[in-house]
Amino acid sequence: MLSVGLTGGIGSGKSTAARRLRELGAVVIDADAVAREVLAAGSEGLAEVIDRFGSQVLAADGALDRAALAGQVFGDEVARQDLERITHPRIAARTDQLLAAAGPGDIVVHDVPLLVEKNMGSRYHLVVAVDARPQTRVARAVERGMNENDVRARMAHQASDAARAAAADVLLDNNGSQEDLAADVTKLWNERLRPFEANLSSGTVFRRPDTPVLVEGSDWDLQANRLIERIGRALGERAPEIEHVGSTSVPGMRAKDVIDIQVGVGDLREADDPDFIQALAAAGFPRVDSNRMDHPTDAVPDPSLWIKRFHGSCDPGRVAHVHVRELQSAGWQYALLFRDWLRADEDGQADYEAVKARLSAETDSSTAYAEAKAPWFNEVWPRMQAWAQRSGWHD
Ligand code: ADP
């Protein structure tokens, strides 16, 4: 089961995108509807709310008077916390129930207006945000019957566009027509969500044609952060350190469009624990058994010091390599030192780019390209060492 978080500011078109996803076959869980359901007329939740806030929060028909409740909670931190103590566990339990009802091959879309504000992104395999220009959003919400000042006040309290863009793996631009949005959602469904789900169900790593094409990245750091949070959530204390490494971790450098993540474990045997392997696979990162070694350098030639475990990603929209290495091992340290040296040393960066550009033109497979780079890694070792000494570097 693939879980997708869907969000967007007020008037962005989030509900419209959710409807389209439902038509395409997604199981949509509407967070607002669940929040209303747990306080529906006659519910246990509503009874508790009345116990705490009094019957003045009830409308004449026995349903919750939301405006009256909001009035009591507004500006009163204790009251707000009391209300959340009543609602949050019920919302979580009901959401879990709806999730459990979804089948193994389903794509579940959790439609959550405040997903970014509540920092929920790492719960999902993928976060999709719908976006439109602020004035367009206001106009659409007003057209739907809302008061303009209310819309603007809500917008002021919601996450900024930049925060939403940082949290989202996919931004759906809804500045065009509803037909454009529907077409984009359909494309996302067919080209990313369905194959992602199929790969997840079968434990298959997505692979794209094996050619070393170098590109300029714009937000690799943000993409890596999202993967790190997901992996951290999946592994918990089993992964005390998780780092973005490799060329995409060096700002401004052209690179293959691959996010390398290094997961540090206290003992590599932990990475062979079936629970560890399963936790990563369920988060979308199945293990690849054929890849268990880094290239030893001339300075540290003992192959046993370069053993690792490797996981790829199921997501056809984001190639990621997850290297699980023992903390302080040769491979662990090399990856960190190499990154930090390149970040600090412009000449090193330029040299590496030149080597990569030459080799990517000469070789036609990523494997051959990686092999061909090995001598250069040996060559720069003394420069890296010298820099580490000068700068007092340690991992
Ligand atoms: P949200 O759930 O993000 O608040 P909705 O999906 O309810 O937003 O959209 C807000 C309003 O704008 C709705 O009335 C919807 O029909 C309309 N709308 C959504 N997308 C478009 C679009 N591309 N062009 C015109 N109107 C749109």
Side-chain angles (χ1 to χ4, degrees):
M1 184 189 79
L2 184 79
S3 69
V4 177
L6 175 68
T7 193
I10 185 165
S12 62
K14 177 183 63 60
S15 310
T16 309
R19 267 197 304 280
R20 179 71 192 133
L21 285 162
R22 188 173 269 144
E23 284 167 12
L24 290 163
V27 175
V28 177
I29 301 177
D30 178 336
D32 279 347
V34 171
R36 282 194 298 274
E37 191 186 324
V38 302
L39 297 183
S43 66
E44 270 179 38
L46 184 57
E48 271 201 45
V49 166
I50 297 163
D51 272 353
R52 167 63 180 81
F53 295 95
S55 54
Q56 58 270 36
V57 299
L58 278 187
D61 62 358
L64 177 65
D65 180 343
R66 288 182 177 273
L69 180 61
Q72 285 212 28
V73 172
F74 186 77
D76 182 340
E77 187 59 16
V78 175
R80 192 183 58 80
Q81 283 179 9
D82 286 347
L83 178 60
E84 288 185 348
R85 252 195 297 281
I86 298 169
T87 57
H88 280 184
R90 289 188 163 83
I91 291 171
R94 179 64 183 140
T95 304
D96 285 348
Q97 207 177 25
L98 292 168
L99 274 173
D106 278 332
I107 297 172
V108 177
V109 173
H110 197 194
D111 171 348
V112 189
L114 299 182
L115 184 150
V116 178
E117 292 79 351
K118 295 191 173 167
N119 200 15
M120 291 165 65
S122 65
R123 298 179 184 201
Y124 309 101
H125 293 109
L126 205 71
V127 171
V128 177
V130 186
D131 191 32
R133 280 185 293 274
Q135 62 271 32
T136 307
R137 291 165 47 198
V138 172
R140 285 178 186 161
V142 166
E143 203 167 303
R144 199 174 47 180
M146 290 189 71
N147 169 289
E148 176 164 349
N149 288 336
D150 290 349
V151 178
R152 291 196 183 277
R154 281 238 229 142
M155 281 170 74
H157 278 95
Q158 291 185 340
S160 66
D161 290 348
R164 220 173 268 119
D169 301 281
V170 177
L171 269 184
L172 288 172
D173 177 346
N174 187 26
N175 286 302
S177 68
Q178 299 221 29
E179 291 68 35
D180 292 340
L181 179 65
D184 286 348
V185 171
T186 307
K187 190 169 147 70
L188 173 72
W189 177 260
N190 288 328
E191 295 179 10
R192 191 152 184 187
L193 303 186
R194 287 191 52 196
F196 195 164
E197 198 294 315
N199 289 340
L200 189 67
S201 285
S202 61
T204 307
V205 165
F206 169 76
R207 290 174 206 280
R208 68 167 169 225
D210 184 31
T211 45
V213 181
L214 301 181
V215 295
E216 211 149 303
S218 57
D219 64 347
W220 279 327
D221 54 338
L222 299 176
Q223 297 192 44
N225 284 345
R226 293 194 292 272
L227 300 184
I228 287 172
E229 285 192 11
R230 284 184 187 123
I231 292 169
R233 189 180 182 95
L235 293 177
E237 289 175 356
R238 289 173 288 196
E241 288 189 46
I242 309 176
E243 300 266 355
H244 182 201
V245 296
S247 297
T248 55
S249 69
V250 182
M253 199 161 77
R254 286 165 62 79
K256 273 195 307 170
D257 188 16
V258 173
I259 305 277
D260 286 279
I261 302 289
Q262 165 154 276
V263 174
V265 291
D267 185 319
L268 199 57
R269 280 173 297 191
E270 291 168 37
D272 291 333
D273 179 348
D275 284 350
F276 182 104
I277 297 170
Q278 177 50 29
L280 271 183
F285 306 97
R287 178 149 127 165
V288 179
D289 280 319
S290 55
N291 188 350
R292 293 176 162 234
M293 279 286 297
D294 290 313
H295 248 288
T297 57
D298 290 349
V300 187
D302 179 354
S304 71
L305 299 173
W306 296 87
I307 296 171
K308 67 174 174 186
R309 298 292 181 258
F310 183 86
H311 292 244
S313 167
C314 300
D315 180 1
R318 169 37 57 220
V319 175
H321 293 172
V322 181
H323 312 263
V324 184
R325 298 184 173 116
E326 207 166 279
L327 293 165
Q328 315 307 328
S329 65
W332 168 267
Q333 288 195 325
Y334 194 100
L336 291 183
L337 174 55
F338 187 58
R339 176 196 69 189
D340 293 347
W341 168 64
L342 283 177
R343 282 178 176 174
D345 187 324
E346 278 183 20
D347 292 342
Q349 226 184 87
D351 288 353
Y352 189 34
E353 275 209 38
V355 168
K356 291 202 298 182
R358 178 167 59 75
L359 293 177
S360 73
E362 285 171 6
T363 53
D364 56 6
S365 89
S366 289
T367 324
Y369 165 77
E371 291 285 330
K373 276 193 305 187
W376 186 77
F377 286 114
N378 278 318
E379 205 178 295
V380 293
W381 180 247
R383 281 167 73 185
M384 286 164 60
Q385 286 296 316
W387 174 80
Q389 293 239 318
R390 269 201 317 279
S391 62
W393 182 89
H394 60 86
D395 66 0

